[in-house]
């Protein structure tokens, strides 16, 4: 009590303390360390001067009972020790500690005041520990990650010579013929021995080999491989000469249809097989798009000539019509109108005479008045079709007068039979292109490649090549960069489709031990082929020639 009264008196009088008083306060502070509990948590950092009352912000330790009151902050107490003596905080209510001990989360749920600067909020849960890293740790996993993520960047060689493209054409056209024959022969050998279309192989694969277990699938893979080789060979000749020989591409139609038929009839069971079927449709779509783009250039020139001739006749007809409208005699005749012809005397004479038997009766309808026949309005002609805006002169495009519309509709120009055939071919190719791409996009997409062909997908996604670098990539390179085929409307991108297709075929074929050209059925001698042909012709049936014709090579003809 003496210390309290001394403090109050010092605040009222505002006088300086004596040396004895200071020593007495220091002696009281020296005994304060005996009341500190050793297992108290460390004190928080220094708070602002405007902080709430001491002992009201921090959660009590469960082991801290009411017999040991919470120690006030030492930094705050030390700043005030020079003005007043230390006063212990008031004892909390007995029920409060027991409630917090039974339910430690109650304080967290009811605490709403903001935390002080430098103080850790105790009402927020701690974040969960981070999940274990999914990065590869072993050397084998690291090698696999590098293979699937980063393709090898080959140095660019530039555009090769024409001779180089011709050699590639000859090489892959020959390879396509070998793969085509092997696929057909292997397909025939998969039939039961009692089937009418069964043809045994001269050197069948071992019974425990993948070529025996998956004979039907291997045959279809060889057919797709042959299609890629034929397409790549024809594209190299086109690409080297910057043209499109339509006649050569037309020879691939029968074999391409045969490949589609075999893959569709097999009813692919995996997404990878369906993606290869989509690859066949994509090859077909890019072939048609290439023919469409180059055929359009030649067709457009011929159509422009016909349109120019028709426009000249339209302008001449419009000029004649305008001259007739501006002539005064014509205008007066149009105002007066054409006089209607008078009825003949026989039509208005009475039907009864002295020498004739009367035929009229009381209930009959009388003849119409002759004056009504003279005043009947003439029947108006039905309006013609609206003229095409391309054929109308520019000054009439906003509002087409009737005489201009009649002049356009009255013009007709002759079109040759060859031109009609070319226009029909163009429309048919366009329809085939749309149908092929609609089928391709159903099974071959980038998400499908990422999931079932990850290596091929990575070679395209991490590529630094441009759309015009098709000649920079070797189709036999299994580690280099690729490029996702671009827009087909410009007639390009077919080379990228072949490169991507070969990569997909190798990646898919590894599971089944596909060897490509190294595992083909060898083609027999010409004498054996002739004997087999004779036996097939005697057997007859639809299976005699199921493979269609072999695609023809390029010939040195002028592109259409």
């Amino acid at each position: 009590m003496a210390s309290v009264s001394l403090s109050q008196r010092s605040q009222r009088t505002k006088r300086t303390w004596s040396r004895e008083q200071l020593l007495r306060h220091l002696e009281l502070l020296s005994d304060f360390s005996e009341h500190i509990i050793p297992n108290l948590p460390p004190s928080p950092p220094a708070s602002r001067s405007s902080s709430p009352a001491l002992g009201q912000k921090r959660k009590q330790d469960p082991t801290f009972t009411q017999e040991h009151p919470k120690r006030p902050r030492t930094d705050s107490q030390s700043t005030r020790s020079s003005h007043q003596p230390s006063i212990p905080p008031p004892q909390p209510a007995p029920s409060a500690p027991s409630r917090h001990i039974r339910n430690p989360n109650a304080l967290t749920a009811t605490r709403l005041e903001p935390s002080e600067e430098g103080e850790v909020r105790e009402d927020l849960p701690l974040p969960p520990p981070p999940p274990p890293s999914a990065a590869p740790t072993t050397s084998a996993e690291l090698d696999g990650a590098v293979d699937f993520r980063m393709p090898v960047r080959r140095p660019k060689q530039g555009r090769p010579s024409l001779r180089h493209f011709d050699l590639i054409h000859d090489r892959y056209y020959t390879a396509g013929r070998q793969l085509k024959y092997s696929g057909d022969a292997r397909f025939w050998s998969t039939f039961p021995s009692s089937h009418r279309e069964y043809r045994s192989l001269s050197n069948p694969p071992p019974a425990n080999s993948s070529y025996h277990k998956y004979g039907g699938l291997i045959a279809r893979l060889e057919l797709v491989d042959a299609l890629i080789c034929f397409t790549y060979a024809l594209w190299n000749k086109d690409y080297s000469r910057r043209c499109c020989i339509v006649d050569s591409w037309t020879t691939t139609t029968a074999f391409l249809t045969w490949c589609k038929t075999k893959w569709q009839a097999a009813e692919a069971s995996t997404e990878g097989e369906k993606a290869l079927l989509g690859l066949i449709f994509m090859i077909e779509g890019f072939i048609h798009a290439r023919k469409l783009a180059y055929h359009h250039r030649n067709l457009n020139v011929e159509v422009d000539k016909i349109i120019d001739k028709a426009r000249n006749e339209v302008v001449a007809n419009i000029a004649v019509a305008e001259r007739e409208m501006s002539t005064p005699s014509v205008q007066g005749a149009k105002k007066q109108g054409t006089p209607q012809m008078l009825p003949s005397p026989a039509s208005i004479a009475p039907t009864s005479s002295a020498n004739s038997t009367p035929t009229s009766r009381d209930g009959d309808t009388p003849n119409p008045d002759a004056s009504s026949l003279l005043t009947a309005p003439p029947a108006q002609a039905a309006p013609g079709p609206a003229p095409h805006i391309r054929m109308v002169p520019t000054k009439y495009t906003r509002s087409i007068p009737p005489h201009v519309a009649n002049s356009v509709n009255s013009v007709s120009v002759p079109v040759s039979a060859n031109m009609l055939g070319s226009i029909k071919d163009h429309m048919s190719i366009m329809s085939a292109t749309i149908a092929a791409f609609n089928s391709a996009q159903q099974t071959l997409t980038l998400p499908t490649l990422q999931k079932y062909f990850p290596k091929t997908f990575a070679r395209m996604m991490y590529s630094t090549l441009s759309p015009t670098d098709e000649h920079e990539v070797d189709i036999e390179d299994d580690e280099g960069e690729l490029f996702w085929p671009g827009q087909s409307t410009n007639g390009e991108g077919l080379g990228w489709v072949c490169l991507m297709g070969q990569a997909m075929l190798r990646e898919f074929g590894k599971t089944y031990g596909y060897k490509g050209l190294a595992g083909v059925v060898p083609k027999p001698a010409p004498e054996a082929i002739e004997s087999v042909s004779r036996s097939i012709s005697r057997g007859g049936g639809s299976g005699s020639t199921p493979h269609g014709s072999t695609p023809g090579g390029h010939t040195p003809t002028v592109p259409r």
Side-chain angles (χ1 to χ4, degrees):
M1 294 297 295
S3 62
V4 174
S5 61
L6 180 61
S7 175
Q8 293 175 352
R9 186 169 60 253
S10 63
Q11 292 179 1
R12 289 195 304 265
T13 58
K14 300 294 184 180
R15 63 183 181 180
T16 58
W17 288 5
S18 62
R19 186 170 181 275
E20 291 78 6
Q21 291 174 335
L22 293 176
L23 291 175
R24 184 180 178 182
H25 290 313
L26 291 175
E27 186 178 357
L28 292 174
L29 292 175
S30 62
D31 298 335
F32 184 74
S33 59
E34 299 178 359
H35 301 283
I36 299 178
I37 300 176
N39 59 352
L40 278 176
S43 299
S47 60
R48 299 187 300 270
S49 60
S50 60
S51 60
L54 298 177
Q56 301 292 329
K57 291 294 292 182
R58 297 188 62 83
K59 184 189 301 183
Q60 293 185 358
D61 195 299
T63 59
F64 185 68
T65 60
Q66 61 180 353
E67 287 79 14
H68 302 280
K70 187 173 181 180
R71 179 174 66 93
R73 296 174 181 171
T74 56
D75 54 352
S76 177
Q77 181 67 26
S78 61
T79 55
R80 302 177 186 180
S81 61
S82 60
H83 300 286
Q84 62 184 11
S86 175
I87 301 177
Q91 295 288 342
S95 59
S98 60
R99 183 172 64 252
H100 290 307
I101 292 175
R102 288 194 304 267
N103 188 8
N105 296 327
L107 182 62
T108 304
T110 58
R111 184 169 181 173
L112 300 176
E113 60 269 21
S115 60
E116 298 178 357
E117 182 180 359
E119 183 180 355
V120 180
R121 291 180 61 94
E122 297 177 351
D123 55 343
L124 296 177
L126 294 176
S133 176
T137 55
T138 63
S139 59
E141 292 177 351
L142 289 173
D143 294 340
V146 172
D147 289 343
F148 283 90
R149 290 186 178 273
M150 294 301 298
V152 179
R153 295 181 179 177
R154 311 292 186 188
K156 293 186 177 182
Q157 304 295 332
R159 189 181 182 91
S161 62
L162 186 64
R163 176 61 179 166
H164 175 79
F165 287 111
D166 291 342
L167 291 176
I168 292 179
H169 166 265
D170 298 340
R171 175 184 176 184
Y172 284 97
Y173 183 78
T174 304
R177 290 176 62 90
Q178 296 177 0
L179 288 165
K180 174 184 175 296
Y181 174 82
S182 179
D184 291 338
R186 199 179 304 278
F187 170 73
W188 287 330
S189 67
T190 58
F191 287 106
S193 57
S194 59
H195 199 278
R196 54 183 293 182
E197 296 181 354
Y198 170 74
R199 304 288 184 272
S200 62
L201 297 176
S202 58
N203 187 16
N208 58 349
S209 65
S210 60
Y211 271 64
H212 178 79
K213 297 178 181 178
Y214 311 104
L217 178 60
I218 295 296
R220 287 185 281 125
L221 292 179
E222 287 179 336
L223 292 177
V224 175
D225 204 348
L227 178 63
I228 294 174
C229 290
F230 283 133
T231 306
Y232 191 63
L234 299 182
W235 171 82
N236 269 276
K237 269 293 181 73
D238 271 10
Y239 185 78
S240 62
R241 290 159 174 79
R242 293 182 174 88
C243 66
C244 175
I245 304 180
V246 180
D247 293 337
S248 298
W249 288 111
T250 306
T251 61
T252 63
T253 304
F255 181 64
L256 198 150
T257 304
W258 166 244
C259 290
K260 288 192 301 182
T261 303
K262 295 314 300 174
W263 277 87
Q264 289 174 333
E267 296 182 358
S269 57
T270 63
E271 295 297 328
E273 295 182 43
K274 295 178 182 178
L276 291 177
L277 176 59
L279 173 66
I280 298 175
F281 280 108
M282 179 176 281
I283 292 175
E284 181 185 14
F286 269 86
I287 290 176
H288 288 319
R290 184 173 183 83
K291 293 190 296 183
L292 194 67
Y294 283 84
H295 184 251
H296 153 267
R297 303 172 186 177
N298 299 326
L299 182 62
N300 196 32
V301 175
E302 300 297 330
V303 173
D304 284 344
K305 295 179 181 178
I306 299 175
I307 291 179
D308 291 341
K309 183 179 180 180
R311 281 178 176 172
N312 293 336
E313 293 190 14
V314 167
V315 172
N317 288 358
I318 293 175
V320 171
E322 290 180 348
R323 283 198 304 269
E324 292 178 353
M325 294 174 60
S326 60
T327 303
S329 60
V330 175
Q331 291 180 356
K334 287 187 176 181
K335 290 181 180 180
Q336 295 176 2
T338 303
Q340 298 186 4
M341 298 179 63
L342 297 175
S344 61
S347 60
I348 60 176
T351 57
S352 60
S353 62
N355 298 327
S356 63
T357 304
T359 57
S360 60
R361 297 178 176 86
D362 296 338
D364 290 345
T365 303
N367 290 333
D369 190 4
S371 61
S372 63
L373 296 176
L374 296 176
T375 59
Q380 296 182 357
H388 197 285
I389 194 65
R390 184 185 292 273
M391 308 304 299
V392 177
T394 307
K395 61 181 180 179
Y396 300 113
T397 53
R398 289 195 175 185
S399 178
I400 303 177
H403 71 282
V404 175
N406 295 332
S407 301
V408 175
N409 293 331
S410 63
V411 171
S412 60
V413 292
V415 179
S416 64
N418 291 334
M419 176 58 61
L420 289 177
S422 298
I423 295 174
K424 180 60 180 177
D425 288 345
H426 192 79
M427 297 171 62
S428 300
I429 295 174
M430 183 178 297
S431 301
T433 305
I434 296 172
F437 280 120
N438 284 338
S439 301
Q441 67 184 1
Q442 295 178 7
T443 57
L444 182 56
T445 59
L446 286 176
T448 302
L449 287 175
Q450 182 184 17
K451 187 174 182 180
Y452 299 99
F453 301 88
K455 186 176 181 179
T456 304
F457 177 81
R459 292 175 64 186
M460 292 187 294
M461 293 300 104
Y462 296 94
S463 176
T464 59
L465 299 176
S466 64
T468 57
D469 289 338
E470 293 167 290
H471 58 274
E472 297 287 350
V473 182
D474 184 6
I475 196 172
E476 302 294 336
D477 186 5
D478 200 30
E479 304 293 338
E481 297 174 299
L482 295 175
F483 190 85
W484 173 254
Q487 298 294 328
S488 62
T489 54
N490 60 353
E492 305 301 332
L494 187 55
W496 288 122
V497 178
C498 297
L499 296 169
M500 180 191 70
Q502 190 62 240
M504 292 174 58
L505 193 64
R506 290 177 179 174
E507 187 171 359
F508 179 83
K510 285 183 179 180
T511 307
Y512 304 96
Y514 178 66
K515 302 176 183 178
L517 196 62
V520 298
V521 177
K523 198 171 185 178
E527 295 80 7
I529 296 177
E530 185 178 355
S531 62
V532 171
S533 300
R534 286 196 299 267
S535 63
I536 292 176
S537 60
R538 286 194 300 268
S542 60
S544 57
T545 56
H547 50 80
S549 59
T550 301
H554 274 272
T555 55
T557 57
V558 180
R560 293 173 59 182

